[in-house]
């Protein structure tokens, strides 16, 4: 693992800082969290600025429309934008971090040309249609059926926890194309237009009051066979590529955000008298060490990704497992530092604490991550 930066990487960081210092004051006010059309417009507007400045799809391959930057440069980009308080990808999350990289790695030339430029320009939003009511952690048990009818698949079923479905143009959709095959082998990965007849979206309200997830019902929805990424019934392998991106670098910016929050908690504790508590100081110190270690683990994963051609490896499961637990503990400590103020939903840290509860479930539960670590990294036998 090489933790040093080259002269080129230091120059990249300096130029990015200058651009952020000039651009961020020009941004419009952020829309209300409940205004999803407004949030979509705001997030796409930020993506357009990144595109025009040459920062969109920074680490994507050049032949996929990106800059072909190294994973280390991508890490610098995420670190600097988070430190500067720049907008996160928001509604662009699935397109930029999941579907786009998957299509870049697995799609045909025609599929790349159709779907990647609109994601990079900030023209289209994607959502993720993976989980189902009876196929969450055991994703391979999905039942949404796709029956071949000429040049189309006819799809019937439902999805749940579909991220950003109510404002999405496209959905990365997992369907069962061979119900007789073993459950990991009869799956295909499709790109489904969200305005297709038969698609119904029902938003889900989370504990924090937001509706970034939805149920999606599919009633004989026709999707062209040409929209399939990868071979028919090879969707599980393609999905593993998608999940490697989801667990690899998708949370990097949030590690930086947590480290900044930790510093804010320390300052608040000093201001409200809680800093005199030695137990609290030890907890904050241990979390400081944990997030520092997570940042080093991120750098290791990036170095590994750089050696493997840009696709994150299974080390992302280690990161995701450790990060989920550390984030929850961070906001437990925040509640201790804030006291009664932590009960107010007007307090940003309160909403972050509620959100943190989902992280041991999102992007693969902690139980699933432990299985991956045990079987694929430690070489232990599969559980019965």
């Amino acid at each position: 693992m090489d933790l040093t930066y080259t002269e080129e990487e230091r120059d990249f960081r300096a130029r990015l800082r200058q651009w952020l210092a000039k651009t961020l004051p020009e941004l419009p006010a952020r829309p209300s969290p409940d205004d999803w059309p407004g949030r979509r417009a705001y997030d796409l507007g930020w993506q357009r600025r990144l595109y025009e400045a040459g920062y969109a799809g920074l680490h994507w391959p050049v032949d996929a429309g990106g800059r072909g930057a190294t994973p280390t440069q991508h890490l610098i980009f995420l670190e600097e934008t988070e430190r500067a308080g720049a907008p996160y990808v928001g509604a662009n999350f699935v397109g930029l971090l999941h579907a786009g990289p998957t299509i870049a790695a697995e799609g045909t030339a025609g599929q790349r040309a159709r779907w990647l430029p609109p994601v990079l320009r900030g023209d289209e939003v994607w959502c993720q249609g993976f989980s189902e009511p009876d196929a969450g952690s055991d994703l391979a048990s999905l039942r949404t059926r796709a029956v071949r009818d000429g040049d189309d698949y006819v799809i019937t079923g439902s999805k749940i926890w579909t991220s950003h479905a109510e404002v999405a143009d496209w959905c990365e959709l997992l369907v069962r194309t061979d119900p007789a095959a073993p459950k990991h082998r009869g799956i295909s990965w499709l790109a489904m237009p969200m305005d297709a007849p038969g698609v119904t979206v029902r938003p889900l309200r989370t504990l924090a009051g937001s509706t970034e997830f939805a149920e999606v019902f599919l009633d004989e929805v026709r999707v062209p066979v040409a929209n399939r990424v990868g071979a028919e019934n090879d969707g599980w392998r393609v999905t593993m590529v998608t999940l490697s991106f989801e667990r690899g670098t998708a949370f990097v910016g949030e590690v930086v955000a947590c480290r900044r929050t930790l510093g804010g908690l320390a300052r608040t504790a000093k201001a409200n008298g809680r800093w005199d508590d030695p137990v609290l100081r030890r907890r904050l110190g241990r979390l400081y060490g944990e997030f520092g270690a997570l940042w080093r683990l991120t750098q290791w994963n990036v170095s590994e990704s750089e050696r493997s051609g840009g696709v994150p490896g299974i080390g992302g499961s280690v990161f995701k497992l450790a990060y989920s637990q550390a984030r929850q503990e961070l906001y437990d400590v925040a509640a201790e530092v804030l006291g009664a103020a932590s009960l107010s939903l007007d307090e940003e840290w309160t909403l972050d604490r509620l959100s943190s509860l989902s992280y041991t479930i999102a992007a693969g539960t902690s139980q699933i991550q432990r299985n991956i670590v045990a079987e694929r990294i430690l070489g232990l036998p599969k559980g019965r």
Side-chain angles (χ1 to χ4, degrees), residues 132-169:
E132 298 181 6
D134 295 317
S137 298
D138 186 12
L139 182 59
S141 295
L142 66 91
R143 298 179 181 177
T144 294
R145 182 81 183 275
V147 178
R148 184 78 175 259
D149 181 23
D151 293 332
D152 292 337
Y153 289 110
V154 180
I155 303 169
T156 302
S158 67
K159 297 291 178 176
I160 198 167
W161 308 122
T162 306
S163 307
H164 305 309
E166 57 189 304
V167 293
D169 303 291

Side-chain angles (χ1 to χ4, degrees), residues 214-289:
E215 294 177 287
V216 177
F217 300 94
L218 309 169
D219 183 12
E220 297 189 351
V221 178
R222 301 187 77 90
V223 173
V225 173
N227 287 19
R228 188 189 66 231
V229 175
E232 185 171 278
N233 299 325
D234 192 34
W236 186 254
R237 184 192 61 80
V238 178
T239 301
M240 292 303 99
V241 173
T242 304
L243 294 179
S244 72
F245 287 110
E246 184 177 34
R247 297 164 185 167
T249 55
F251 292 110
V252 170
E254 298 188 45
V255 172
V256 180
C258 285
R259 296 177 80 183
R260 189 176 67 242
T261 296
L262 190 59
L265 283 174
R267 290 189 293 272
T268 299
K270 291 176 182 178
N272 67 12
R274 297 305 310 279
W275 190 252
D276 294 334
D277 182 348
V279 176
L280 177 63
R281 290 202 306 272
R282 281 195 295 270
R283 290 187 72 187
L284 289 171
R286 186 167 59 80
L287 281 169
Y288 182 84

